[in-house]
Amino acid sequence: MQLCQQKTYSRGPLAPALARAGRVARRCLVVKADASSKRPLRVMISGAPAAGKGTQCERIVERYNLVHISVGDLLREQVQQGTAAGKKAKDFMDKGVLVPDDVVVEMVKSRLASPDVQERGWLLDGYPRSASQAEAIEKEGIRPDIFLLIDVPAELLVERVVGRRMDPKTGAIYHLKYKPPPPEIMDSLVQRSDDTEEKCKTRLETHFKNVDSVIGYYTNCLCEIDGNHSIDAVFSAICTAVDAAKAKIGDPLEEFCASNPEQLECLVYED
């Protein structure tokens, strides 16, 4: 199938010349269309500590029936089950060193190929976290329909983290300002050892550095969500973005560009 779209270049090597000339570029390419079925949705989500990512993941899974995949949970499961990848990972973990990207990618690739994920689609939570991880899964053809980045100012994140308290009996999490605990349990609450301001700032610095190196791989599907709002408002913004991405699934041109974002035909345009 040959598809053509008439667009004005907003980015790409020809953008300046075309803009000055007021010209419109017409892009055409031949792609194989399969209108018999739509594949399931693929979502990546990233957010700093205390950005509210966990809460939003729960809601996304409930609304879109996606399989929630956290690499940390996946790593622990594989080690516990004694899979080939899990045994490799355990060797490194026992030595107290980071599990290499190729081992983690093997786990992720295997999980994404499982029947439930193939049927329902996936929500990849907090991964990739570095440029090397993004490049590794890119080589395996693992790409999302949308990359959600929950953005919250650093000073607010520090306030959210430092104010967190946990009930050691129930595991319930409270916040001294945003979710005050019942007065009768206030004295029994504890603060996690890594919820201090100093440690929080270190974690945030690492997070922002990693995110900056990752998002370059997903510019064609990146959606920044303002996380400095209520839980409901943030989720509403996420749904709007995800629904728009979901509507493009099955479109031959969109499918081609999702897998080939570097192609000239797939650069970002504006009408």
Side-chain angles (χ1 to χ4, degrees):
M1 176 184 290
Q2 177 171 286
L3 299 176
C4 296
Q5 288 191 359
Q6 185 167 293
K7 298 282 184 177
T8 302
Y9 281 84
S10 62
R11 292 206 319 218
L14 302 181
L18 288 170
R20 286 194 298 270
R23 290 171 56 193
V24 173
R26 188 172 180 82
R27 61 171 177 170
C28 298
L29 65 157
V30 176
V31 295
K32 185 177 181 180
D34 180 6
S36 60
S37 63
K38 275 193 172 186
R39 61 166 176 76
L41 182 64
R42 306 175 301 201
V43 180
M44 287 181 180
I45 186 168
S46 179
K53 178 168 63 68
T55 299
Q56 297 303 332
C57 281
E58 292 176 2
R59 291 191 166 201
I60 292 170
V61 168
E62 181 180 359
R63 180 181 178 102
Y64 297 99
N65 194 35
L66 300 175
V67 177
H68 181 216
I69 301 172
S70 164
V71 170
D73 292 342
L74 182 60
L75 193 62
R76 287 184 286 272
E77 289 172 7
Q78 296 274 310
V79 170
Q80 186 176 7
Q81 293 169 7
T83 64
K87 290 177 181 177
K88 290 181 186 177
K90 189 175 186 303
D91 288 340
F92 291 99
M93 294 165 70
D94 288 345
K95 295 174 184 175
V97 297
L98 292 175
V99 179
D101 289 338
D102 61 331
V103 177
V104 178
V105 170
E106 183 181 341
M107 291 182 180
V108 172
K109 186 179 178 181
S110 175
R111 184 68 181 97
L112 295 183
S114 58
D116 60 334
V117 178
Q118 290 292 305
E119 180 183 349
R120 293 164 51 193
W122 46 262
L123 172 63
L124 194 51
D125 179 0
Y127 188 85
R129 293 188 179 186
S130 66
S132 60
Q133 292 173 352
E135 186 172 353
I137 64 173
E138 182 81 9
K139 289 178 180 177
E140 295 294 334
I142 301 171
R143 288 193 62 81
D145 297 304
I146 185 169
F147 186 105
L148 298 168
L149 177 61
I150 302 179
D151 186 27
V152 178
E155 61 272 14
L156 253 180
L157 292 170
V158 172
E159 181 185 37
R160 290 182 182 182
V161 168
V162 173
R164 287 194 302 209
R165 296 293 185 274
M166 183 181 73
D167 184 342
K169 293 182 179 180
T170 65
I173 302 296
Y174 298 94
H175 193 280
L176 299 179
K177 178 178 179 181
Y178 300 111
K179 188 183 176 183
E184 60 270 19
I185 68 169
M186 176 68 80
D187 293 339
S188 65
L189 298 182
V190 297
Q191 184 181 36
R192 280 173 31 177
S193 60
D194 58 347
D195 276 354
T196 64
E197 182 172 349
E198 181 180 356
K199 290 183 178 179
C200 175
K201 287 182 176 179
T202 300
R203 288 158 60 200
L204 289 178
E205 183 179 347
T206 300
H207 167 78
F208 289 127
K209 184 186 299 183
N210 288 340
V211 165
D212 287 343
S213 67
V214 166
I215 58 177
Y217 288 84
Y218 303 106
T219 52
N220 67 318
C221 60
L222 175 65
C223 180
E224 296 189 46
I225 303 293
D226 186 350
N228 191 20
H229 293 285
S230 69
I231 292 174
D232 289 342
V234 172
F235 185 59
S236 177
I238 287 174
C239 289
T240 298
V242 172
D243 287 344
K246 188 176 181 181
K248 296 178 181 178
I249 296 176
D251 181 301
L253 183 58
E254 295 294 344
E255 292 290 313
F256 174 84
C257 288
S259 301
N260 302 273
E262 75 288 348
Q263 294 295 315
L264 179 61
E265 295 88 353
C266 300
L267 297 179
V268 179
Y269 301 95
E270 292 178 354
D271 289 322

